[in-house]
Amino acid sequence: MEKISEVSFFDKEQGNDAIVKRLLRAMVLNDSFVYVVGGMSDTAGHGNMFADSYPQVMADIMAPAMAKAKIKFEVRNLAMGGVPSYPGSMCMKDAFGPDADVVMWDFRMVEHASLNGEIYIRQALMHPRRPFVAFKRPNGYLNSMKNYFTPASLHVVDERDLAKLASSNSNTTARDLVENDNFCGFSDPVRKKDGTWQECECPGQVRWHAGYKLQRLRGVQMALVYLNMLDLAVDKYVEMINGPGDEPGESPSDIMQRRWEIGHNKQIDLAEHAPYSKDCRGIFCSRAYSCAMSWEPRMGPGLTDIFDSETKWKLDYPVS
């Protein structure tokens, strides 16, 4: 069971506390909790039905519990094939939305540079809602970026140990979670004489894309990780209502009157903390941008939205 809901926080002392508090805030105020996934084609679910992409599986599993908690919950799968996190991360508010609470980095195949990963984290810390940052892999460079561990609640949700456990399990039901889920829909992918792989049966799927079983396994794991945090938030809310020990608790209306500011009690001033990557210069790593995006998917305005209606060429960016 531990593998199913496994998550690793870089700040072991803080752990999931900050995210639990954000969930508690959303529950008390009937506010939103938005989880945004940025990534590559495998993350987008290429070769599978969109409903089987792991962000959507996560959303479907979590939705009933979030609705019961009166939280306006949304998972946005903004992954695109062959696209790294940069330069979209420079426009995080417009690309991911101004209401993001957690942003996931899942660019495993297309991005390996520490510079891009650091830009992703720093832009999240400059986002108006200050979303927490999750990675799909424990990229080695993250270990040295200690200044971000706490304010970003930096954490990793990696399904590989879970998939390995399922595939080697003596229980046939557990093994069936991932068995016969090979790439491209073939039981045994074939490499041609020219070195290329046999053409995939599923449109848009290539040999490094996960099949629907692994996608679902990832989604279930992600859902359980954050449902565990929701469970802790519910416990805290019940504790507030019941009161500590023999002391009287608070009414829901009293609880709502508390200060529930978005933010973190351990904020970081990026101006005082130089980037770890030597090429992460101020213009990229200490400044947030508003952008019109020419590609999809996105949350902010596109290039066609900022053309002047009369001249068709004068850029008229909306004030916001």
Side-chain angles (χ1 to χ4, degrees), residues 3-311:
K3 292 291 184 186
I4 295 178
S5 57
E6 188 172 35
V7 56
S8 176
F9 282 86
F10 285 84
D11 183 338
K12 304 300 182 185
E13 183 178 351
Q14 175 181 264
N16 59 23
D17 285 354
I19 303 177
V20 170
K21 288 177 183 176
R22 182 74 64 93
L23 284 164
L24 176 60
R25 177 192 180 278
M27 185 165 48
V28 169
L29 301 180
N30 297 338
D31 196 11
S32 60
F33 188 86
V34 177
Y35 197 104
V36 186
V37 182
M40 54 184 187
S41 54
D42 183 50
T43 315
H46 284 201
N48 298 284
M49 301 296 286
F50 185 76
D52 285 325
S53 63
Y54 79 77
Q56 189 59 45
V57 173
M58 171 192 178
D60 291 342
I61 293 173
M62 293 185 66
M66 289 295 220
K68 286 285 187 183
K70 306 298 183 184
I71 296 174
K72 302 176 183 71
F73 179 60
E74 182 181 354
V75 176
R76 294 180 186 143
N77 186 357
L78 300 185
M80 291 185 287
V83 177
S85 68
Y86 176 87
S89 57
M90 298 293 296
C91 313
M92 195 167 281
K93 177 184 174 182
D94 289 325
F96 286 6
D99 51 357
D101 290 289
V102 181
V103 293
M104 161 66 81
W105 179 101
D106 190 7
F107 299 85
R108 289 163 281 129
M109 293 291 296
V110 296
E111 183 175 289
H112 304 95
S114 62
L115 170 61
N116 290 9
E118 184 167 18
I119 289 175
Y120 199 83
I121 296 169
R122 289 179 73 94
Q123 288 294 328
L125 291 170
M126 289 185 283
H127 187 284
R129 200 168 167 96
R130 294 187 283 279
F132 306 112
V133 182
F135 273 66
K136 205 72 185 77
R137 293 291 183 264
N139 299 345
Y141 59 76
L142 294 174
N143 293 312
S144 65
M145 298 183 178
K146 300 184 185 300
N147 287 335
Y148 311 139
F149 288 2
T150 303
S153 257
L154 196 61
H155 59 289
V156 176
V157 185
D158 188 339
E159 82 289 347
R160 289 176 297 178
D161 284 347
L162 174 59
K164 184 178 179 180
L165 178 67
S167 63
S168 61
N169 203 295
S170 58
N171 186 302
T172 55
T173 302
R175 287 203 310 273
D176 188 56
L177 290 172
V178 290
E179 275 189 342
N180 302 317
D181 192 35
N182 286 306
F183 303 118
C184 305
F186 296 107
S187 59
D188 185 20
V190 177
R191 186 185 290 274
K192 297 180 181 179
K193 291 182 179 179
D194 62 2
T196 61
W197 288 82
Q198 187 172 346
E199 187 178 353
C200 296
E201 292 178 341
C202 300
Q205 190 180 56
V206 293
R207 65 182 181 84
W208 57 81
H209 290 153
Y212 75 96
K213 287 187 176 182
L214 184 54
Q215 289 280 357
R216 289 179 180 178
L217 190 72
R218 290 170 178 163
V220 169
Q221 181 191 36
M222 295 276 291
L224 289 177
V225 163
Y226 295 99
L227 283 174
N228 281 345
M229 298 183 200
L230 176 64
D231 189 46
L232 292 172
V234 170
D235 288 345
K236 287 182 179 293
Y237 187 61
V238 171
E239 196 176 284
M240 293 165 71
I241 291 177
N242 292 337
D246 296 329
E247 297 180 23
E250 301 176 71
S251 69
S253 59
D254 288 338
I255 294 173
M256 287 185 69
Q257 297 306 312
R258 286 189 178 198
R259 293 184 63 184
W260 292 102
E261 296 177 351
I262 284 288
H264 194 287
N265 59 3
K266 296 180 181 178
Q267 288 298 327
I268 180 175
D269 184 352
L270 293 178
E272 296 181 0
H273 293 277
Y276 292 91
S277 307
K278 63 179 182 180
D279 293 325
C280 200
R281 306 190 188 285
I283 193 171
F284 296 113
C285 289
S286 299
R287 176 179 170 186
Y289 293 82
S290 292
C291 308
M293 314 287 289
S294 61
W295 55 15
E296 299 287 350
R298 57 179 167 78
M299 296 304 297
L303 291 181
T304 57
D305 299 319
I306 65 173
F307 283 118
D308 178 76
S309 59
E310 296 180 3
T311 65

